[in-house]
Amino acid sequence: MSKKDLYEVLGVDRSASAAELKSAYRKLAKKYHPDVNQGDDAAEKRFKEITNAYDILKDADQRAAYDQYGHAAFEGGQQGGGFGGGGFEGFGSMGDIFEEFFGGRRQGGGRQRQQRGNDLRTDVSISLEEAFTGVERKIKLNRNAPCTTCSGSGAKPGTSPKNCDTCKGHGKVRAQQGFFMVERPCPTCHGAGQRIEDPCSDCSGRGQIPQTKTLSVSVPAGVEDGTRIRLSGEGDGGPNGAQSGDLYVFVSVDPHPVLQRDGADIFCNLPVTLTQAALGCSIELPLLNGKRVKLTIPKGAQPGQQFRLRGKGMPVLRSRATGDLYVQLTVEMPAHLTREQEKLLKKFEAASGEDTYPETAQFRKQTGAR
C-alpha cells in the first residue's frame, strides 16, 4: 500500500467531513479512471491510490484507526495491505463510481445488484431536409433478449434458482484483513447470490436468447450531426433476468449539395448573372420545408454581398426558435460570347464612366494604373 498520507492523496484536510471526502474522491476518480485514461500507467496508479485512500477514510472506524495508528493499522493482512487492495474490485467502470454514491451497490439487503445488460449502438443517416422536419426511421437490431421460456431467470420452467452455497445468498463473502473484516463479491456466484441447478433448455441457463427486432426511432426536428438518441431498455437483456441495457442511436446528417449548416443557421452561395446584379432582380429560393421565399436583389449588387433572411434557417432542437438563412451573392461573368454580344459589351464599356465602376476608378487614382 502506498505510504503517502491518505488525506494528501485525496487533497483534503484531516478535518474534512464525509461529504467533503466523497466530493474530492468523485472528482479524482472521474479524472484518473482507467476507462478514460486507457494505456496510461501513471493514471492507473493514481486511481489505485485515491480508491484505496477513500475506501479507508469513508468508514468511520477505519478512519479513526488510521488517524491514531497511521498505515500500521492496516498492515499484517494480505500483501499490499489496504482496504480494497488498491485494485479495481470496488469500481469496474465509470458507471460503477456513480452507483457507489447513489446507492446502486448498497441496496437489496446485502445481495449485490445483478449486472445489467450491455448497452448497444447503431447509426442512422438522414438528409438535411429530414433534419429540418424530423423523421421516423425503422432500424433492425440484433441483440440478446430475455428468454421467453424461463422469463429470463435461466432456470427450467417449474424450478427456480437456489441460494449460493458459498455466500448463502448474500452475494458477498467476508475475510479478515488487518484489524478489519473485509467484505467482497462472492467468487462462486459473482455477487448474484444464486445458482441454477436445472438450467432452461432454450437458453442454457443464460436467461437470454438471440433476437432480431425492428424498432422505430423518432429523430426530432433540428437534430445535429453526431446527436445521440437513447432508447431505454432496448439493449441486450441482462443475465438471469437482470435489467436490460440501453440502445444508443447516433445520427449523422448527410452533406447538402448547396447549403452549409452552422448550428441553426444555414448559408447559401447564390450565383446571379452580370445583368441581374447590375439591374437588380427578384429570385424565389426553395426552403428545406418545401416552401419558397422571395429574395430581392437591388441594382448594383456586388459579389460577396450578403442577405439575411430571419427565421428561415433550421429549427432549434426541442425549442420554438429557428435560425436564419444567409445568402451570399456570387456574380457569374458571361462566357462563350457571340460577336453580337461582344459588340454590345464594347459599346457599353465605351459609354461607361467613373460612376459605373467606382472601385476601379478609385484604384486607378490611388495606384496610377491605366
Side-chain angles (χ1 to χ4, degrees):
M1 183 179 77
S2 170
K3 298 300 182 181
K4 293 182 181 178
D5 182 84
L6 299 185
Y7 293 98
E8 291 183 5
V9 170
L10 294 177
V12 297
D13 295 332
R14 299 185 74 85
S15 59
S17 65
E20 290 171 334
L21 287 171
K22 180 184 292 187
S23 176
Y25 175 72
R26 289 178 64 183
K27 292 178 181 178
L28 292 171
K30 289 171 65 177
K31 181 177 180 181
Y32 292 103
H33 197 282
D35 286 355
V36 232
N37 300 276
Q38 295 184 11
D40 189 338
D41 294 338
E44 179 178 329
K45 181 179 179 181
R46 181 81 171 102
F47 179 79
K48 290 180 179 180
E49 287 180 346
I50 61 179
T51 300
N52 182 75
Y54 182 69
D55 279 344
I56 292 175
L57 297 181
K58 71 180 180 180
D59 183 276
D61 293 334
Q62 296 179 73
R63 183 176 179 179
Y66 176 75
D67 288 345
Q68 184 172 0
Y69 301 108
H71 292 287
F74 307 98
E75 294 175 352
Q78 64 186 55
Q79 186 177 2
F83 196 77
F88 303 111
E89 292 86 350
F91 301 104
S93 68
M94 283 296 291
D96 293 335
I97 293 175
F98 297 103
E99 289 175 352
E100 167 69 14
F101 295 115
F102 294 111
R105 287 182 174 268
R106 299 295 179 242
Q107 296 174 351
R111 178 180 297 172
Q112 280 198 318
R113 183 175 62 85
Q114 288 181 295
Q115 181 183 0
R116 66 194 292 270
N118 294 324
D119 292 334
L120 300 179
R121 167 181 176 156
T122 189
D123 299 298
V124 169
S125 295
I126 64 174
S127 66
L128 187 60
E129 289 84 356
E130 290 172 327
F132 183 93
T133 60
V135 66
E136 289 278 340
R137 279 294 173 82
K138 300 289 186 182
I139 58 173
K140 185 175 289 187
L141 179 68
N142 294 320
R143 66 176 187 174
N144 290 320
C147 176
T148 54
T149 303
C150 64
S151 301
S153 70
K156 182 178 179 180
T159 68
S160 59
K162 305 296 183 183
N163 281 346
C164 173
D165 294 332
T166 302
C167 65
K168 309 303 180 185
H170 293 289
K172 298 178 182 180
V173 293
R174 293 182 175 185
Q176 187 74 32
Q177 183 171 315
F179 293 160
F180 302 100
M181 186 67 71
V182 180
E183 204 171 49
R184 298 190 183 281
C186 174
T188 302
C189 65
H190 305 289
Q194 297 179 327
R195 59 185 177 81
I196 298 173
E197 293 183 339
D198 196 356
C200 170
S201 58
D202 287 348
C203 66
S204 302
R206 293 176 60 246
Q208 300 171 317
I209 54 174
Q211 180 192 63
T212 299
K213 184 176 182 180
T214 300
L215 296 172
S216 180
V217 181
S218 179
V219 181
V223 69
E224 295 195 41
D225 186 67
T227 296
R228 185 181 70 171
I229 299 173
R230 174 175 171 262
L231 299 182
S232 179
E234 295 295 351
D236 274 343
N240 305 118
Q243 179 184 358
S244 296
D246 300 329
L247 172 65
Y248 290 92
V249 181
F250 284 77
V251 181
S252 61
V253 182
D254 296 331
H256 193 275
V258 175
L259 304 177
Q260 293 81 44
R261 179 183 182 183
D262 184 5
D265 294 328
I266 297 176
F267 295 83
C268 174
N269 287 323
L270 174 63
V272 296
T273 66
L274 176 64
T275 52
Q276 285 177 319
L279 302 177
C281 64
S282 292
I283 297 178
E284 285 193 350
L285 298 175
L287 299 176
L288 290 171
N289 60 3
K291 298 180 180 180
R292 306 180 79 85
V293 63
K294 181 181 288 187
L295 174 64
T296 300
I297 300 173
K299 292 181 180 180
Q302 298 297 308
Q305 188 169 345
Q306 193 175 79
F307 301 88
R308 179 183 183 184
L309 303 179
R310 295 182 181 273
K312 302 301 182 183
M314 295 289 294
V316 178
L317 186 64
R318 299 184 181 90
S319 170
R320 294 183 179 181
T322 54
D324 300 326
L325 170 62
Y326 292 87
V327 179
Q328 183 168 297
L329 294 187
T330 60
V331 180
E332 184 177 11
M333 294 295 104
H336 310 296
L337 298 174
T338 65
R339 289 185 178 182
E340 182 63 26
Q341 289 171 330
E342 289 178 357
K343 289 179 181 180
L344 291 172
L345 282 178
K346 288 178 181 179
K347 186 176 180 180
F348 171 76
E349 181 68 18
S352 300
E354 291 186 355
D355 291 341
T356 309
Y357 299 108
E359 290 188 16
T360 301
Q362 181 69 16
F363 178 81
R364 287 177 178 176
K365 286 181 179 180
Q366 292 175 340
T367 63
R370 295 172 181 258

